[in-house]
């Protein structure tokens, strides 16, 4: 069981928990997991699921992707750039949550278009406003046929 990368994960979680000035019990409560289970994760005895890591990341207000890499769920070498980009977007305090999600969806659509798309929860743009926002950035038409930006320069159309 030493081959699991959970020791590194446990040390990292403990460090993040201490930085957040949370006790083990407080973090367990905030993440919705049991205190003994979280303790076992921190000690490297358990490998948590992606769902548990997401709950812990949310409670710590850190990137779930970072925890996925630490836990060995994401390939650190192959996915490092994507993870870092997503983490920077999610950490940007100048964007609201909707803007972050739209930006992540656009980012993922460009990666997919260029042959680097992966299976992520943010892959499909379903919200109509998000589609319009994504289309505006990409310079395409929305499903309704309206020009979201259609690659035109607003300066040119005004004259």
């Amino acid at each position: 069981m030493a081959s699991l990368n959970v020791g590194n994960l446990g040390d990292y979680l403990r460090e993040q928990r201490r930085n957040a000035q949370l006790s083990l019990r407080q973090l367990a409560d905030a993440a919705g997991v049991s205190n003994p289970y979280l303790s076992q994760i921190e000690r490297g005895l358990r490998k948590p699921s992606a769902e548990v890591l997401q709950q812990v990341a949310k409670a710590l207000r850190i990137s779930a992707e970072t925890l996925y890499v630490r836990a060995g769920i994401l390939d650190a070498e192959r996915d490092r750039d994507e993870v870092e980009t997503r983490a920077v977007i999610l950490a940007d305090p100048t964007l609201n949550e909707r803007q972050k999600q739209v930006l992540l969806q656009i980012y993922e659509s460009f990666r997919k278009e260029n042959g680097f798309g992966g299976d992520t929860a943010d892959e499909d743009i379903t919200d109509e406003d998000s589609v319009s926002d994504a289309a505006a950035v990409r310079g395409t038409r929305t499903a309704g046929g309206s020009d979201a930006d259609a690659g035109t320069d607003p300066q040119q159309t005004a004259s």
Side-chain angles (χ1 to χ4, degrees):
M1 200 180 263
S3 65
L4 294 177
N5 194 17
V6 293
N8 185 22
L9 171 67
D11 294 340
Y12 181 76
L13 279 177
R14 184 178 300 111
E15 179 184 328
Q16 294 301 311
R17 178 177 58 78
R18 288 179 177 161
N19 287 343
Q21 299 180 339
L22 293 171
S23 70
L24 190 64
R25 186 174 308 278
Q26 288 171 320
L27 178 56
D29 288 343
V33 298
S34 73
N35 188 28
Y37 182 61
L38 186 58
S39 174
Q40 290 174 347
I41 294 170
E42 281 194 0
R43 291 182 287 140
L45 302 176
R46 293 284 187 145
K47 184 173 182 178
S49 68
E51 183 179 323
V52 168
L53 289 175
Q54 186 175 25
Q55 291 169 224
V56 170
K58 186 175 180 181
L60 287 171
R61 295 184 178 159
I62 61 174
S63 165
E65 286 86 359
T66 301
L67 295 184
Y68 296 158
V69 169
R70 297 260 181 185
I73 294 172
L74 288 178
D75 180 9
E77 293 301 318
R78 189 176 52 121
D79 297 328
R80 180 169 295 147
D81 289 341
E82 179 186 4
V83 168
E84 288 175 358
T85 301
R86 292 171 74 75
V88 168
I89 291 169
L90 291 169
D92 189 333
T94 63
L95 301 175
N96 65 40
E97 288 306 310
R98 180 178 170 279
Q99 291 168 331
K100 290 176 186 180
Q101 290 307 311
V102 169
L103 190 52
L104 287 172
Q105 291 167 347
I106 294 167
Y107 172 69
E108 186 59 35
S109 72
F110 283 146
R111 285 181 49 82
K112 192 174 182 181
E113 185 176 296
N114 293 333
F116 295 100
D119 295 332
T120 65
D122 297 323
E123 200 168 302
D124 296 322
I125 300 174
T126 55
D127 180 289
E128 188 174 311
D129 291 334
S130 298
V131 172
S132 297
D133 293 344
V137 172
R138 295 181 72 182
T140 59
R141 294 179 184 264
T142 61
S146 65
D147 283 333
D149 180 29
T152 59
D153 183 0
Q155 297 288 336
Q156 292 174 346
T157 56
S159 50

